[in-house]
Amino acid sequence: MKFIAEINVMPQKEILDPQGKAVKLGLHNLGIDDVSDVRIGKHITLSLDADSEAAAQQLVETACSKLLANLIMEDYTYTLKEA
């Protein structure tokens, strides 16, 4: 079976996000002052083959926890759907 995983990796809320701060300042410089916070992360799309949805979830969990996210500083969420 073919699956598509849409993964979002974001800095943990307790971690300073210098990119987000820079974007917030840039927005302020453009006169966009109603933004209270900006967090910058990564969006990753994986196309994968697996025997079942549970097997696909396990593959995505392994990819996220061992490669795609630094679990000390980042959290991840994902959605999985059949392609």
Side-chain angles (χ1 to χ4, degrees):
M1 299 172 70
K2 294 192 178 290
F3 294 92
I4 296 180
E6 299 284 340
I7 304 163
N8 291 306
V9 180
M10 296 294 293
Q12 293 176 355
K13 292 185 194 282
E14 303 81 25
I15 302 293
L16 177 67
D17 182 2
Q19 271 187 304
K21 297 291 182 202
V23 169
K24 184 179 177 206
L25 179 61
L27 291 170
H28 174 73
N29 291 339
L30 292 173
I32 302 171
D33 295 321
D34 295 333
V35 176
S36 61
D37 192 27
V38 177
R39 305 290 287 175
I40 303 290
K42 300 177 275 190
H43 180 82
I44 302 156
T45 302
L46 292 181
S47 299
L48 54 122
D49 294 316
D51 293 332
S52 66
E53 185 172 346
Q57 286 177 340
Q58 186 58 47
L59 289 171
V60 173
E61 286 286 340
T62 300
C64 289
S65 65
K66 295 193 178 217
L67 178 65
L68 301 176
N70 177 348
L71 299 181
I72 295 171
M73 300 176 6
E74 298 173 317
D75 292 321
Y76 65 89
T77 59
Y78 66 89
T79 59
L80 186 65
K81 63 181 178 182
E82 262 189 77

